[in-house]
């Protein structure tokens, strides 16, 4: 991170939009600053979309004046209740979003994150911000253009890669507990450390998270999940005590137990390792979720069996059933994205079982049939799931997976199983065998499917029909 002089900041702000705001503010005699995330990202050389502007006076008034100077390329929205206004500018297909707010002082009551707001100075406004690195302001007025106002030494925290609150962290977090999620989100996104007192305050104030809506919590969690190292974010949530409150099912994966000196692995650390592995493999968001939840059924299925040791029988299907409950509670989308995660959790043991035994055509065909288009993601998840420290064992699994992948390609070419459509339909069976919709129709259809998946007949109409005739005869049904 580079420190920037006033001249360097002025150069970085040398964009028409900032000069325009500067002129308009000067003409209205208003002190005004660009503040928060945009300033932070200038120093970090990160791209930043939205620009926050704080005005000593009325943010709405300045926004109106700026919008009217720009004319029809500007779209103004005023939020009277919040005392803020937004100006969206469209230029050469690039959209700039400006957020104007009057400098304010905030005071909070215990049961709400909605503060009582009064007009204030720039200093008041900086005091109410969440972190030192988010509280820096750069003046836009012509006389002081590019001057940094940084009362909490945010630049030094940027340099030291530290997240710390500007004031007493207990106050900052208790006033608006969403800041606790933001704290971990920024530490994760920026790969910063959380300053010790700030971290301790997370732990002390964690129960306050209860007044935050699920949508907002989930929003931050999704930003953590989309970052370069989501596992670190989950680990931070765990260590400050928030994970237990916002994600009890995941928290329950933590810990080991032993009987007669035999213990099972800690499934939370295993899960985070798997998550890290899929991220390394380039996984998009929902495959990351599948990794996060793949073993979620383990705590509920854990048994000690004298003959077998620790077992988690059926944890994949128990886990898959938990997915919709978790998605609903977390207000995550309950559409095909949820179905995808559910399916991957349900199937995540299958390739391992195949790879552990002889890799038969029939087993691979069935896998392909059930996974459909998600087969590649499933294979990525399964390879990521091999976290054994025993290198021989690891290598054996990976070799077998390579074999499974080769067979998948080969069988798909031959049999087109991926999006399997039965070559003989229910209607054709009913018509040919003069059957009403009834159980035998289902039995015959299922038998055709099994015969194809087991490689007894090819995935073709005539072969399947001939097979249906034989099967029907076994049931005492004839074709004429
Ligand atoms: P990003 O846009 O990358 O998420 P950001 O820092 O710009 O990061 P925003 O949510 O856009 O975050 O908020 C803009 C600024 O408003 C922040 O930098 C911070 O100064 C302030 N801010 C936002 N939310 C809070 C909050 N809950 N408490 C205190 N200050 C906040
Ligand atoms: Mg922002």
């Amino acid at each position: 991170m580079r420190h920037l002089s006033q001249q360097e900041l002025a150069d970085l702000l040398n964009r028409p939009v900032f000069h325009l705001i500067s002129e308009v503010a000067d003409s209205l005699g208003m002190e005004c600053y660009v503040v928060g995330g945009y300033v932070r990202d200038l120093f970090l050389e990160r791209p930043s979309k939205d620009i926050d502007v704080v005005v000593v006076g009325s943010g709405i008034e300045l926004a109106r004046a700026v919008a009217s100077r720009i004319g029809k390329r500007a779209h103004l929205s005023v939020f009277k209740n919040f005392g803020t206004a937004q100006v969206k500018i469209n230029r050469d297909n690039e959209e700039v979003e400006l957020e104007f707010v009057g400098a304010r002082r905030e005071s909070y009551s215990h049961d709400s994150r909605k503060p009582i707001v009064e007009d204030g100075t720039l200093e008041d406004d900086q005091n109410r911000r969440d972190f030192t690195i988010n509280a820096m302001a750069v003046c836009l007025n012509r006389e002081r253009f590019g001057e940094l106002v940084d009362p909490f030494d945010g630049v030094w925290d940027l340099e030291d890669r530290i997240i710390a609150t500007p004031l007493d962290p207990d106050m900052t977090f208790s006033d608006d507990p969403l800041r606790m999620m933001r704290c971990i989100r920024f530490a994760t996104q920026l790969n910063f450390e959380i300053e010790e007192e700030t971290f301790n305050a997370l732990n002390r104030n964690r129960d306050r998270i209860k007044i935050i809506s699920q949508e907002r919590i989930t929003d931050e969690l999704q930003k953590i999940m989309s970052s370069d190292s989501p596992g670190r974010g989950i680990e931070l949530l765990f260590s400050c005590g928030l994970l237990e409150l916002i994600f009890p099912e995941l928290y329950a994966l933590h810990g080991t137990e032993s009987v007669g000196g035999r213990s099972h692995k800690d499934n939370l650390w295993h899960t985070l390792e798997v998550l890290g592995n899929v991220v390394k493999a380039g996984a998009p968001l929902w495959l990351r979720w599948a990794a996060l939840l793949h073993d979620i059924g383990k705590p509920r299925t854990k048994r000690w069996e004298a003959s077998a040791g620790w077992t988690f029988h059926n944890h994949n299907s128990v886990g898959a059933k938990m997915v919709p409950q978790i998605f609903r509670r977390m207000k995550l989308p309950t559409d095909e994205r949820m179905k995808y995660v559910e399916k991957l959790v349900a199937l995540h043991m299958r390739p391992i079982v195949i790879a552990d035994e002889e890799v038969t055509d029939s087993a691979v065909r069935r896998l392909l049939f059930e996974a459909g288009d998600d087969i590649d993601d499933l294979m990525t998840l399964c390879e990521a799931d091999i976290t054994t420290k025993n290198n021989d064992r690891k290598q054996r699994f990976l070799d077998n997976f390579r074999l499974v992948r080769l067979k998948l390609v080969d069988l798909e070419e031959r049999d087109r199983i991926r999006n399997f459509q039965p070559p003989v339909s229910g209607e054709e069976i009913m018509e040919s065998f003069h059957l009403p919709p009834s159980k035998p129709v289902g039995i015959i259809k299922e038998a055709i499917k099994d015969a194809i998946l087991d490689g007894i007949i090819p995935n073709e109409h005539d072969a399947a029909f001939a097979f249906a005739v034989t099967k029907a005869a076994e049931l005492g049904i004839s074709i004429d």
Side-chain angles (χ1 to χ4, degrees):
M1 205 271 314
R2 253 169 11 96
H3 289 252
L4 300 168
S5 66
Q6 179 164 354
Q7 186 55 51
E8 286 170 314
L9 279 166
D11 289 343
L12 286 168
L13 295 178
N14 186 12
R15 287 171 56 176
V17 59
F18 291 118
H19 290 299
L20 180 80
I21 298 170
S22 178
E23 272 172 43
V24 176
D26 279 346
S27 71
L28 293 170
M30 287 175 156
E31 215 181 294
C32 108
Y33 303 83
V34 54
V35 69
Y38 191 87
V39 177
R40 178 198 67 217
D41 291 341
L42 278 183
F43 281 90
L44 293 176
E45 299 176 67
R46 282 174 98 224
S48 187
K49 297 182 306 308
D50 39 335
I51 304 170
D52 292 292
V53 175
V54 62
V55 187
V56 182
S58 165
I60 294 175
E61 190 186 339
L62 180 61
R64 281 193 202 286
V66 167
S68 85
R69 270 286 294 274
I70 297 171
K72 60 178 188 306
R73 278 186 297 102
H75 180 82
L76 172 76
S77 325
V78 173
F79 307 99
K80 262 227 167 78
N81 294 345
F82 297 97
T84 65
Q86 189 189 61
V87 178
K88 279 190 188 167
I89 310 167
N90 250 306
R91 167 181 277 176
D92 308 331
N93 289 328
E94 199 200 348
E95 186 161 87
V96 183
E97 221 178 280
L98 300 166
E99 197 71 45
F100 291 84
V101 59
R104 55 174 66 175
R105 172 207 293 272
E106 291 182 343
S107 42
Y108 287 82
S109 67
H110 190 73
D111 54 351
S112 161
R113 61 179 289 264
K114 295 210 175 56
I116 300 161
V117 175
E118 298 162 86
D119 292 342
T121 61
L122 175 68
E123 193 187 339
D124 291 327
D125 198 275
Q126 287 175 303
N127 283 339
R128 75 169 177 93
R129 294 190 177 258
D130 48 5
F131 305 109
T132 60
I133 61 167
N134 285 349
M136 302 187 288
V138 178
C139 192
L140 291 178
N141 297 95
R142 190 198 163 119
E143 288 278 293
R144 295 167 57 209
F145 194 82
E147 182 191 316
L148 179 69
V149 184
D150 181 17
F152 310 110
D153 289 333
V155 268
W156 291 102
D157 285 349
L158 279 178
E159 165 135 6
D160 296 340
R161 307 177 75 78
I162 283 174
I163 309 284
T165 57
L167 304 178
D168 172 13
D170 284 305
M171 189 82 101
T172 299
F173 290 146
S174 166
D175 278 353
D176 176 2
L178 180 66
R179 293 167 182 161
M180 298 193 286
M181 290 299 297
R182 286 172 60 89
C183 180
I184 289 172
R185 187 256 288 190
F186 284 118
T188 308
Q189 278 182 330
L190 303 175
N191 196 17
F192 278 26
E193 295 298 326
I194 300 171
E195 179 267 332
E196 194 179 339
E197 265 317 297
T198 300
F199 187 85
N200 293 338
L202 284 176
N203 186 259
R204 282 192 295 270
N205 292 279
R206 63 181 193 275
D207 281 323
R208 297 277 297 146
I209 199 71
K210 294 197 175 107
I211 68 165
I212 302 299
S213 75
Q214 184 61 51
E215 286 83 350
R216 291 203 173 252
I217 294 174
T218 296
D219 203 39
E220 296 298 330
L221 193 58
Q222 288 290 55
K223 289 182 180 169
I224 292 171
M225 285 299 282
S226 308
S227 74
D228 290 342
S229 49
R232 177 163 180 263
I234 305 285
E235 202 178 322
L236 287 169
L237 285 170
F238 173 82
S239 55
C240 77
L242 274 169
L243 190 70
E244 188 176 359
L245 302 174
I246 65 167
F247 208 153
E249 299 90 343
L250 194 60
Y251 177 83
L253 289 176
H254 172 62
T256 60
E257 226 183 305
S258 67
V259 172
R262 288 171 69 186
S263 54
H264 61 82
K265 66 183 169 213
D266 184 307
N267 286 304
L268 181 60
W269 303 134
H270 163 71
T271 290
L272 297 187
E273 205 178 331
V274 177
L275 177 58
N277 288 344
V278 299
V279 170
K280 253 187 256 154
L285 181 62
W286 299 105
L287 180 51
R288 295 171 178 210
W289 270 97
L292 188 68
L293 298 179
H294 80 284
D295 274 348
I296 203 74
K298 276 195 168 172
R300 294 190 188 172
T301 53
K302 183 166 96 171
R303 300 273 178 284
W304 168 261
E305 291 168 18
S307 54
W310 291 106
T311 62
F312 303 88
H313 288 309
N314 227 11
H315 74 271
N316 49 318
S317 24
V318 170
K321 288 207 187 75
M322 292 168 70
V323 170
Q325 298 161 13
I326 291 171
F327 269 54
R328 241 172 262 133
R329 189 191 72 238
M330 291 221 167
K331 305 265 198 281
L332 288 163
T334 51
D335 54 14
E336 73 284 355
R337 290 168 282 191
M338 178 181 87
K339 290 268 166 245
Y340 163 89
V341 174
E342 206 179 326
K343 178 166 154 188
L344 261 56
V345 173
L347 291 178
H348 84 268
M349 297 299 289
R350 289 282 295 282
I352 302 219
V353 173
I354 296 175
D356 204 17
E357 295 162 358
E358 196 197 340
V359 183
T360 67
D361 283 6
S362 151
V364 174
R365 256 195 227 99
R366 279 183 183 278
L367 178 65
L368 192 52
F369 171 68
E370 283 177 53
D373 280 337
D374 300 320
I375 186 70
D376 294 327
D377 290 357
L378 180 64
M379 293 303 292
T380 303
L381 173 60
C382 290
E383 279 167 356
D385 198 9
I386 312 294
T387 60
T388 172
K389 300 286 171 282
N390 176 337
N391 275 329
D392 288 346
R393 200 171 143 72
K394 186 169 186 157
Q395 203 47 52
R396 189 159 52 80
F397 270 114
L398 292 180
D399 288 346
N400 272 354
F401 272 132
R402 203 161 307 126
L403 204 60
V404 174
R405 279 190 192 268
L406 284 173
K407 263 208 161 68
L408 279 168
V409 174
D410 179 45
L411 289 174
E412 175 63 10
E413 267 172 21
R414 271 197 278 147
D415 301 343
R416 292 158 286 112
I417 299 292
R418 191 180 278 239
N419 293 307
F420 183 82
Q421 295 293 334
V424 176
S425 70
E427 265 119 63
E428 189 176 353
I429 294 170
M430 288 191 280
E431 220 168 90
S432 309
F433 299 99
H434 313 291
L435 290 170
S438 55
K439 208 165 168 195
V441 181
I443 295 175
I444 294 170
K445 263 184 80 173
E446 194 65 16
I448 295 173
K449 186 193 90 189
D450 284 338
I452 292 171
L453 294 178
D454 289 337
I456 295 167
I457 55 169
N459 185 9
E460 286 163 11
H461 174 271
D462 291 357
F465 191 82
F467 182 82
V469 174
T470 321
K471 187 71 200 174
E474 280 172 35
L475 297 172
I477 299 164
S478 81
I479 191 152
D480 19 59

